[in-house]
Amino acid sequence: MISALRGTVLSVAGGTAVIDVGGVGFAVAVTARHALTLRTGTETTLLTSLIVREDSLSLFGFPDQESLDIFTLLTGVTGVGPKSALGVLSELAPSDVATAVAREDDSAFRKVSGIGPKTAKLIVLQLTGKIAARAVEFTEAPSGPPPHVRANVERALVGLGWPERSASSALEQALETASPLEAADVQSLLRLALAILGPSPKSGDAR
């Protein structure tokens, strides 16, 4: 079982990141938001889920334990395969998934490509008890972001064109309003920071 990879990012394209670990390139499926935090030539650590099929072995990678846990729960829902589960996490942060389930809001899942009304209802129905237990664990986590979460968010913002100072300032402002769950999630923090920064800066502009 491959549960984690640490190595150099060789490439990121089409929802797949290739990670060089000791000279071996592993193709790992990632969400679009996660892909934004990965830069070619830099070192990264991914928590992974290995999906074994009769004719294939597929790796799915995540920036944090919360995302991996939600992915695992989603793939346990009837009718939700690993690609659909990854699609959910491309649209919704782990905290958003927990909130949607808690509110019995299946419309949040119907917005995901490949998730129909029946499957959306099954996600809410089958995860209600499980997601509540996980949400408690998430909110009991330290309020500050783990170092790798902060680094990934800042790297993504710089990669999108903002100076390091602006990226760091926006991240600090985002942390002031973030819940404990959001503070531990790369996608949630990135979304909050982007809302603070506004439109992407034009090439050559400085903030």
Side-chain angles (χ1 to χ4, degrees):
M1 178 65 72
I2 301 174
S3 57
L5 292 177
R6 181 177 182 179
T8 303
V9 180
L10 293 181
S11 65
V12 184
T16 299
V18 179
I19 311 299
D20 178 7
V21 181
V24 178
F26 289 85
V28 187
V30 297
T31 67
R33 293 179 185 178
H34 187 187
L36 286 175
T37 70
L38 301 174
R39 300 180 66 181
T40 302
T42 62
E43 185 174 279
T44 190
T45 298
L46 303 181
L47 301 181
T48 59
S49 175
L50 177 63
I51 304 298
V52 180
R53 295 286 186 264
E54 292 183 0
D55 58 349
S56 67
L57 296 175
S58 301
L59 269 177
F60 294 80
F62 306 91
D64 49 55
Q65 188 64 48
E66 290 80 10
S67 297
L68 175 58
D69 288 344
I70 293 295
F71 174 82
T72 301
L73 289 174
L74 285 168
T75 55
V77 174
T78 304
V80 179
K83 290 184 179 180
S84 293
L86 195 68
V88 170
L89 287 170
S90 289
E91 296 292 333
L92 304 170
S95 58
D96 296 329
V97 174
T99 298
V101 171
R103 294 177 177 175
E104 299 184 355
D105 179 17
D106 59 82
S107 66
F109 302 108
R110 293 202 304 270
K111 298 176 183 178
V112 179
S113 177
I115 301 292
K118 182 179 179 180
T119 302
K121 290 182 182 296
L122 281 174
I123 290 175
V124 171
L125 180 64
Q126 296 185 20
L127 293 191
T128 296
K130 299 175 183 178
I131 210 77
R134 295 302 303 153
V136 169
E137 293 181 23
F138 295 163
T139 54
E140 289 177 348
S143 58
H148 77 277
V149 171
R150 178 186 291 272
N152 282 340
V153 172
E154 289 187 351
R155 186 179 302 122
L157 293 174
V158 171
L160 290 171
W162 280 280
E164 291 186 11
R165 178 178 293 184
S166 297
S168 179
S169 176
L171 176 57
E172 293 303 324
Q173 292 180 60
L175 286 171
E176 291 178 3
T177 60
S179 67
L181 190 58
E182 290 174 324
D185 178 67
V186 172
Q187 296 178 4
S188 295
L189 271 183
L190 180 58
R191 184 175 62 252
L192 291 173
L194 287 172
I196 291 169
L197 286 165
S200 178
K202 295 180 180 180
S203 178
D205 285 352
R207 285 184 173 257

mmCIF file of all heavy atoms in Angstrom, residues 64-108:
data_model
loop_
_atom_site.group_PDB
_atom_site.id
_atom_site.type_symbol
_atom_site.label_atom_id
_atom_site.label_comp_id
_atom_site.label_asym_id
_atom_site.label_seq_id
_atom_site.Cartn_x
_atom_site.Cartn_y
_atom_site.Cartn_z
ATOM 1 N N ASP A 64 -3.570 17.062 2.563
ATOM 2 C CA ASP A 64 -3.742 16.937 4.006
ATOM 3 C C ASP A 64 -4.616 15.730 4.342
ATOM 4 O O ASP A 64 -5.268 15.153 3.478
ATOM 5 C CB ASP A 64 -4.362 18.220 4.589
ATOM 6 C CG ASP A 64 -5.583 18.673 3.806
ATOM 7 O OD1 ASP A 64 -6.512 17.861 3.652
ATOM 8 O OD2 ASP A 64 -5.598 19.821 3.322
ATOM 9 N N GLN A 65 -4.599 15.379 5.638
ATOM 10 C CA GLN A 65 -5.324 14.191 6.102
ATOM 11 C C GLN A 65 -6.830 14.357 5.964
ATOM 12 O O GLN A 65 -7.547 13.399 5.654
ATOM 13 C CB GLN A 65 -4.976 13.914 7.567
ATOM 14 C CG GLN A 65 -5.516 12.586 8.095
ATOM 15 C CD GLN A 65 -4.909 11.385 7.381
ATOM 16 O OE1 GLN A 65 -3.697 11.303 7.227
ATOM 17 N NE2 GLN A 65 -5.749 10.450 6.940
ATOM 18 N N GLU A 66 -7.341 15.577 6.176
ATOM 19 C CA GLU A 66 -8.779 15.807 6.084
ATOM 20 C C GLU A 66 -9.306 15.475 4.686
ATOM 21 O O GLU A 66 -10.341 14.821 4.541
ATOM 22 C CB GLU A 66 -9.109 17.270 6.431
ATOM 23 C CG GLU A 66 -8.919 17.612 7.896
ATOM 24 C CD GLU A 66 -7.458 17.868 8.248
ATOM 25 O OE1 GLU A 66 -6.618 17.964 7.339
ATOM 26 O OE2 GLU A 66 -7.155 17.970 9.445
ATOM 27 N N SER A 67 -8.590 15.936 3.665
ATOM 28 C CA SER A 67 -9.016 15.670 2.289
ATOM 29 C C SER A 67 -8.991 14.180 1.988
ATOM 30 O O SER A 67 -9.903 13.647 1.350
ATOM 31 C CB SER A 67 -8.108 16.415 1.299
ATOM 32 O OG SER A 67 -8.201 17.806 1.462
ATOM 33 N N LEU A 68 -7.957 13.501 2.447
ATOM 34 C CA LEU A 68 -7.860 12.058 2.229
ATOM 35 C C LEU A 68 -8.983 11.320 2.943
ATOM 36 O O LEU A 68 -9.592 10.397 2.388
ATOM 37 C CB LEU A 68 -6.501 11.547 2.723
ATOM 38 C CG LEU A 68 -6.285 10.024 2.676
ATOM 39 C CD1 LEU A 68 -6.452 9.485 1.267
ATOM 40 C CD2 LEU A 68 -4.899 9.671 3.231
ATOM 41 N N ASP A 69 -9.289 11.746 4.163
ATOM 42 C CA ASP A 69 -10.355 11.093 4.923
ATOM 43 C C ASP A 69 -11.710 11.262 4.236
ATOM 44 O O ASP A 69 -12.505 10.314 4.156
ATOM 45 C CB ASP A 69 -10.423 11.674 6.344
ATOM 46 C CG ASP A 69 -9.260 11.235 7.211
ATOM 47 O OD1 ASP A 69 -8.570 10.262 6.822
ATOM 48 O OD2 ASP A 69 -9.026 11.848 8.260
ATOM 49 N N ILE A 70 -11.986 12.473 3.748
ATOM 50 C CA ILE A 70 -13.254 12.716 3.066
ATOM 51 C C ILE A 70 -13.321 11.901 1.775
ATOM 52 O O ILE A 70 -14.364 11.337 1.425
ATOM 53 C CB ILE A 70 -13.441 14.214 2.756
ATOM 54 C CG1 ILE A 70 -13.597 15.007 4.049
ATOM 55 C CG2 ILE A 70 -14.647 14.428 1.842
ATOM 56 C CD1 ILE A 70 -14.840 14.683 4.838
ATOM 57 N N PHE A 71 -12.201 11.831 1.059
ATOM 58 C CA PHE A 71 -12.135 11.017 -0.166
ATOM 59 C C PHE A 71 -12.475 9.569 0.146
ATOM 60 O O PHE A 71 -13.262 8.928 -0.564
ATOM 61 C CB PHE A 71 -10.732 11.122 -0.769
ATOM 62 C CG PHE A 71 -10.499 10.223 -1.956
ATOM 63 C CD1 PHE A 71 -10.918 10.602 -3.231
ATOM 64 C CD2 PHE A 71 -9.846 9.000 -1.812
ATOM 65 C CE1 PHE A 71 -10.690 9.777 -4.333
ATOM 66 C CE2 PHE A 71 -9.618 8.177 -2.901
ATOM 67 C CZ PHE A 71 -10.039 8.565 -4.170
ATOM 68 N N THR A 72 -11.891 9.049 1.213
ATOM 69 C CA THR A 72 -12.139 7.658 1.607
ATOM 70 C C THR A 72 -13.602 7.433 1.955
ATOM 71 O O THR A 72 -14.210 6.421 1.566
ATOM 72 C CB THR A 72 -11.261 7.279 2.809
ATOM 73 O OG1 THR A 72 -9.876 7.456 2.465
ATOM 74 C CG2 THR A 72 -11.477 5.830 3.218
ATOM 75 N N LEU A 73 -14.194 8.380 2.670
ATOM 76 C CA LEU A 73 -15.612 8.266 3.022
ATOM 77 C C LEU A 73 -16.491 8.321 1.771
ATOM 78 O O LEU A 73 -17.450 7.555 1.641
ATOM 79 C CB LEU A 73 -16.006 9.394 3.976
ATOM 80 C CG LEU A 73 -15.455 9.305 5.406
ATOM 81 C CD1 LEU A 73 -15.815 10.568 6.175
ATOM 82 C CD2 LEU A 73 -15.990 8.069 6.129
ATOM 83 N N LEU A 74 -16.159 9.212 0.857
ATOM 84 C CA LEU A 74 -16.950 9.353 -0.361
ATOM 85 C C LEU A 74 -16.916 8.088 -1.217
ATOM 86 O O LEU A 74 -17.929 7.676 -1.788
ATOM 87 C CB LEU A 74 -16.458 10.542 -1.182
ATOM 88 C CG LEU A 74 -16.832 11.936 -0.659
ATOM 89 C CD1 LEU A 74 -16.041 13.010 -1.386
ATOM 90 C CD2 LEU A 74 -18.327 12.178 -0.818
ATOM 91 N N THR A 75 -15.741 7.472 -1.326
ATOM 92 C CA THR A 75 -15.633 6.266 -2.149
ATOM 93 C C THR A 75 -16.354 5.080 -1.524
ATOM 94 O O THR A 75 -16.548 4.057 -2.173
ATOM 95 C CB THR A 75 -14.156 5.883 -2.401
ATOM 96 O OG1 THR A 75 -13.461 5.755 -1.147
ATOM 97 C CG2 THR A 75 -13.461 6.932 -3.258
ATOM 98 N N GLY A 76 -16.761 5.232 -0.276
ATOM 99 C CA GLY A 76 -17.538 4.182 0.376
ATOM 100 C C GLY A 76 -19.026 4.319 0.129
ATOM 101 O O GLY A 76 -19.810 3.445 0.515
ATOM 102 N N VAL A 77 -19.421 5.406 -0.530
ATOM 103 C CA VAL A 77 -20.840 5.634 -0.838
ATOM 104 C C VAL A 77 -21.219 4.886 -2.112
ATOM 105 O O VAL A 77 -20.477 4.897 -3.103
ATOM 106 C CB VAL A 77 -21.123 7.139 -1.033
ATOM 107 C CG1 VAL A 77 -22.562 7.364 -1.486
ATOM 108 C CG2 VAL A 77 -20.851 7.897 0.262
ATOM 109 N N THR A 78 -22.344 4.239 -2.095
ATOM 110 C CA THR A 78 -22.823 3.498 -3.260
ATOM 111 C C THR A 78 -22.901 4.407 -4.485
ATOM 112 O O THR A 78 -23.520 5.469 -4.444
ATOM 113 C CB THR A 78 -24.224 2.915 -2.994
ATOM 114 O OG1 THR A 78 -24.170 2.100 -1.821
ATOM 115 C CG2 THR A 78 -24.693 2.082 -4.168
ATOM 116 N N GLY A 79 -22.243 3.981 -5.564
ATOM 117 C CA GLY A 79 -22.302 4.738 -6.810
ATOM 118 C C GLY A 79 -21.243 5.819 -6.959
ATOM 119 O O GLY A 79 -21.185 6.491 -7.991
ATOM 120 N N VAL A 80 -20.405 6.011 -5.937
ATOM 121 C CA VAL A 80 -19.354 7.031 -6.011
ATOM 122 C C VAL A 80 -17.991 6.351 -6.171
ATOM 123 O O VAL A 80 -17.489 5.717 -5.246
ATOM 124 C CB VAL A 80 -19.335 7.930 -4.762
ATOM 125 C CG1 VAL A 80 -18.204 8.957 -4.857
ATOM 126 C CG2 VAL A 80 -20.670 8.632 -4.595
ATOM 127 N N GLY A 81 -17.408 6.496 -7.352
ATOM 128 C CA GLY A 81 -16.077 5.948 -7.600
ATOM 129 C C GLY A 81 -15.013 6.961 -7.231
ATOM 130 O O GLY A 81 -15.318 8.098 -6.869
ATOM 131 N N PRO A 82 -13.747 6.575 -7.319
ATOM 132 C CA PRO A 82 -12.656 7.481 -6.938
ATOM 133 C C PRO A 82 -12.609 8.758 -7.769
ATOM 134 O O PRO A 82 -12.320 9.831 -7.242
ATOM 135 C CB PRO A 82 -11.396 6.630 -7.133
ATOM 136 C CG PRO A 82 -11.815 5.497 -8.025
ATOM 137 C CD PRO A 82 -13.245 5.246 -7.696
ATOM 138 N N LYS A 83 -12.926 8.675 -9.065
ATOM 139 C CA LYS A 83 -12.900 9.883 -9.901
ATOM 140 C C LYS A 83 -14.012 10.845 -9.504
ATOM 141 O O LYS A 83 -13.816 12.062 -9.474
ATOM 142 C CB LYS A 83 -13.008 9.511 -11.378
ATOM 143 C CG LYS A 83 -11.768 8.814 -11.926
ATOM 144 C CD LYS A 83 -11.880 8.554 -13.423
ATOM 145 C CE LYS A 83 -10.613 7.882 -13.950
ATOM 146 N NZ LYS A 83 -10.707 7.613 -15.417
ATOM 147 N N SER A 84 -15.170 10.304 -9.180
ATOM 148 C CA SER A 84 -16.276 11.152 -8.739
ATOM 149 C C SER A 84 -15.961 11.777 -7.376
ATOM 150 O O SER A 84 -16.271 12.944 -7.123
ATOM 151 C CB SER A 84 -17.570 10.349 -8.646
ATOM 152 O OG SER A 84 -17.998 9.923 -9.925
ATOM 153 N N ALA A 85 -15.337 10.985 -6.498
ATOM 154 C CA ALA A 85 -14.959 11.499 -5.182
ATOM 155 C C ALA A 85 -13.953 12.634 -5.321
ATOM 156 O O ALA A 85 -14.029 13.653 -4.620
ATOM 157 C CB ALA A 85 -14.373 10.380 -4.327
ATOM 158 N N LEU A 86 -13.008 12.475 -6.241
ATOM 159 C CA LEU A 86 -12.026 13.528 -6.489
ATOM 160 C C LEU A 86 -12.722 14.756 -7.070
ATOM 161 O O LEU A 86 -12.360 15.900 -6.760
ATOM 162 C CB LEU A 86 -10.942 13.030 -7.442
ATOM 163 C CG LEU A 86 -9.664 13.884 -7.506
ATOM 164 C CD1 LEU A 86 -8.902 13.786 -6.185
ATOM 165 C CD2 LEU A 86 -8.761 13.418 -8.652
ATOM 166 N N GLY A 87 -13.738 14.514 -7.902
ATOM 167 C CA GLY A 87 -14.501 15.618 -8.464
ATOM 168 C C GLY A 87 -15.211 16.419 -7.382
ATOM 169 O O GLY A 87 -15.280 17.652 -7.454
ATOM 170 N N VAL A 88 -15.728 15.728 -6.373
ATOM 171 C CA VAL A 88 -16.376 16.419 -5.253
ATOM 172 C C VAL A 88 -15.379 17.328 -4.557
ATOM 173 O O VAL A 88 -15.662 18.492 -4.250
ATOM 174 C CB VAL A 88 -16.966 15.404 -4.252
ATOM 175 C CG1 VAL A 88 -17.427 16.121 -2.980
ATOM 176 C CG2 VAL A 88 -18.130 14.649 -4.869
ATOM 177 N N LEU A 89 -14.173 16.805 -4.310
ATOM 178 C CA LEU A 89 -13.158 17.590 -3.613
ATOM 179 C C LEU A 89 -12.553 18.676 -4.493
ATOM 180 O O LEU A 89 -11.896 19.584 -3.990
ATOM 181 C CB LEU A 89 -12.054 16.664 -3.085
ATOM 182 C CG LEU A 89 -12.473 15.818 -1.882
ATOM 183 C CD1 LEU A 89 -11.419 14.758 -1.570
ATOM 184 C CD2 LEU A 89 -12.697 16.709 -0.663
ATOM 185 N N SER A 90 -12.781 18.590 -5.795
ATOM 186 C CA SER A 90 -12.350 19.669 -6.683
ATOM 187 C C SER A 90 -13.293 20.860 -6.550
ATOM 188 O O SER A 90 -12.896 22.009 -6.755
ATOM 189 C CB SER A 90 -12.325 19.192 -8.146
ATOM 190 O OG SER A 90 -11.269 18.289 -8.374
ATOM 191 N N GLU A 91 -14.548 20.570 -6.202
ATOM 192 C CA GLU A 91 -15.560 21.617 -6.076
ATOM 193 C C GLU A 91 -15.757 22.075 -4.638
ATOM 194 O O GLU A 91 -16.061 23.244 -4.385
ATOM 195 C CB GLU A 91 -16.897 21.114 -6.627
ATOM 196 C CG GLU A 91 -16.900 20.793 -8.113
ATOM 197 C CD GLU A 91 -16.742 22.021 -8.978
ATOM 198 O OE1 GLU A 91 -17.135 23.118 -8.518
ATOM 199 O OE2 GLU A 91 -16.219 21.893 -10.100
ATOM 200 N N LEU A 92 -15.587 21.149 -3.698
ATOM 201 C CA LEU A 92 -15.879 21.439 -2.301
ATOM 202 C C LEU A 92 -14.698 21.099 -1.407
ATOM 203 O O LEU A 92 -14.090 20.043 -1.548
ATOM 204 C CB LEU A 92 -17.094 20.623 -1.830
ATOM 205 C CG LEU A 92 -18.396 20.778 -2.627
ATOM 206 C CD1 LEU A 92 -19.397 19.718 -2.162
ATOM 207 C CD2 LEU A 92 -18.967 22.168 -2.458
ATOM 208 N N ALA A 93 -14.362 21.988 -0.500
ATOM 209 C CA ALA A 93 -13.343 21.705 0.502
ATOM 210 C C ALA A 93 -13.913 20.707 1.506
ATOM 211 O O ALA A 93 -15.142 20.551 1.599
ATOM 212 C CB ALA A 93 -12.943 22.995 1.219
ATOM 213 N N PRO A 94 -13.075 20.003 2.268
ATOM 214 C CA PRO A 94 -13.585 19.050 3.257
ATOM 215 C C PRO A 94 -14.614 19.676 4.195
ATOM 216 O O PRO A 94 -15.620 19.053 4.534
ATOM 217 C CB PRO A 94 -12.319 18.631 4.011
ATOM 218 C CG PRO A 94 -11.238 18.719 2.975
ATOM 219 C CD PRO A 94 -11.585 19.946 2.181
ATOM 220 N N SER A 95 -14.364 20.922 4.604
ATOM 221 C CA SER A 95 -15.319 21.594 5.495
ATOM 222 C C SER A 95 -16.650 21.816 4.802
ATOM 223 O O SER A 95 -17.716 21.751 5.430
ATOM 224 C CB SER A 95 -14.747 22.932 5.964
ATOM 225 O OG SER A 95 -14.440 23.769 4.861
ATOM 226 N N ASP A 96 -16.621 22.099 3.491
ATOM 227 C CA ASP A 96 -17.858 22.302 2.732
ATOM 228 C C ASP A 96 -18.652 21.003 2.626
ATOM 229 O O ASP A 96 -19.890 21.006 2.676
ATOM 230 C CB ASP A 96 -17.545 22.819 1.325
ATOM 231 C CG ASP A 96 -16.892 24.188 1.340
ATOM 232 O OD1 ASP A 96 -17.197 24.972 2.258
ATOM 233 O OD2 ASP A 96 -16.063 24.468 0.451
ATOM 234 N N VAL A 97 -17.941 19.888 2.454
ATOM 235 C CA VAL A 97 -18.599 18.585 2.381
ATOM 236 C C VAL A 97 -19.294 18.288 3.714
ATOM 237 O O VAL A 97 -20.461 17.879 3.749
ATOM 238 C CB VAL A 97 -17.586 17.466 2.056
ATOM 239 C CG1 VAL A 97 -18.265 16.095 2.132
ATOM 240 C CG2 VAL A 97 -16.976 17.675 0.675
ATOM 241 N N ALA A 98 -18.564 18.527 4.817
ATOM 242 C CA ALA A 98 -19.132 18.276 6.142
ATOM 243 C C ALA A 98 -20.357 19.143 6.385
ATOM 244 O O ALA A 98 -21.373 18.687 6.924
ATOM 245 C CB ALA A 98 -18.074 18.538 7.214
ATOM 246 N N THR A 99 -20.275 20.412 5.969
ATOM 247 C CA THR A 99 -21.399 21.334 6.163
ATOM 248 C C THR A 99 -22.611 20.911 5.339
ATOM 249 O O THR A 99 -23.749 20.923 5.821
ATOM 250 C CB THR A 99 -20.988 22.766 5.766
ATOM 251 O OG1 THR A 99 -19.922 23.203 6.611
ATOM 252 C CG2 THR A 99 -22.162 23.725 5.907
ATOM 253 N N ALA A 100 -22.372 20.521 4.075
ATOM 254 C CA ALA A 100 -23.464 20.106 3.196
ATOM 255 C C ALA A 100 -24.174 18.879 3.760
ATOM 256 O O ALA A 100 -25.406 18.797 3.746
ATOM 257 C CB ALA A 100 -22.934 19.818 1.795
ATOM 258 N N VAL A 101 -23.397 17.927 4.258
ATOM 259 C CA VAL A 101 -23.987 16.714 4.827
ATOM 260 C C VAL A 101 -24.768 17.053 6.097
ATOM 261 O O VAL A 101 -25.885 16.569 6.315
ATOM 262 C CB VAL A 101 -22.905 15.660 5.116
ATOM 263 C CG1 VAL A 101 -23.491 14.485 5.913
ATOM 264 C CG2 VAL A 101 -22.292 15.155 3.819
ATOM 265 N N ALA A 102 -24.181 17.894 6.948
ATOM 266 C CA ALA A 102 -24.836 18.271 8.203
ATOM 267 C C ALA A 102 -26.163 18.986 7.940
ATOM 268 O O ALA A 102 -27.132 18.824 8.684
ATOM 269 C CB ALA A 102 -23.918 19.164 9.028
ATOM 270 N N ARG A 103 -26.212 19.772 6.856
ATOM 271 C CA ARG A 103 -27.430 20.516 6.519
ATOM 272 C C ARG A 103 -28.370 19.719 5.606
ATOM 273 O O ARG A 103 -29.414 20.220 5.207
ATOM 274 C CB ARG A 103 -27.053 21.830 5.824
ATOM 275 C CG ARG A 103 -26.306 22.812 6.723
ATOM 276 C CD ARG A 103 -25.904 24.051 5.942
ATOM 277 N NE ARG A 103 -25.240 25.029 6.800
ATOM 278 C CZ ARG A 103 -24.697 26.166 6.363
ATOM 279 N NH1 ARG A 103 -24.752 26.455 5.066
ATOM 280 N NH2 ARG A 103 -24.123 26.997 7.205
ATOM 281 N N GLU A 104 -27.944 18.504 5.272
ATOM 282 C CA GLU A 104 -28.708 17.650 4.351
ATOM 283 C C GLU A 104 -28.939 18.374 3.024
ATOM 284 O O GLU A 104 -30.010 18.290 2.422
ATOM 285 C CB GLU A 104 -30.039 17.221 4.985
ATOM 286 C CG GLU A 104 -29.858 16.412 6.261
ATOM 287 C CD GLU A 104 -31.171 15.908 6.828
ATOM 288 O OE1 GLU A 104 -32.231 16.263 6.276
ATOM 289 O OE2 GLU A 104 -31.141 15.151 7.813
ATOM 290 N N ASP A 105 -27.918 19.068 2.578
ATOM 291 C CA ASP A 105 -27.974 19.861 1.350
ATOM 292 C C ASP A 105 -27.357 19.085 0.197
ATOM 293 O O ASP A 105 -26.181 19.239 -0.119
ATOM 294 C CB ASP A 105 -27.233 21.187 1.556
ATOM 295 C CG ASP A 105 -27.236 22.057 0.310
ATOM 296 O OD1 ASP A 105 -28.063 21.799 -0.597
ATOM 297 O OD2 ASP A 105 -26.394 22.971 0.236
ATOM 298 N N ASP A 106 -28.155 18.226 -0.435
ATOM 299 C CA ASP A 106 -27.617 17.421 -1.528
ATOM 300 C C ASP A 106 -27.382 18.247 -2.791
ATOM 301 O O ASP A 106 -26.700 17.802 -3.715
ATOM 302 C CB ASP A 106 -28.531 16.238 -1.844
ATOM 303 C CG ASP A 106 -29.930 16.675 -2.230
ATOM 304 O OD1 ASP A 106 -30.147 17.031 -3.400
ATOM 305 O OD2 ASP A 106 -30.813 16.680 -1.348
ATOM 306 N N SER A 107 -27.916 19.479 -2.840
ATOM 307 C CA SER A 107 -27.711 20.320 -4.018
ATOM 308 C C SER A 107 -26.237 20.659 -4.206
ATOM 309 O O SER A 107 -25.779 20.872 -5.329
ATOM 310 C CB SER A 107 -28.522 21.618 -3.897
ATOM 311 O OG SER A 107 -28.049 22.431 -2.830
ATOM 312 N N ALA A 108 -25.484 20.699 -3.115
ATOM 313 C CA ALA A 108 -24.049 20.991 -3.203
ATOM 314 C C ALA A 108 -23.333 19.917 -4.005
ATOM 315 O O ALA A 108 -22.370 20.210 -4.735
ATOM 316 C CB ALA A 108 -23.445 21.088 -1.794
#
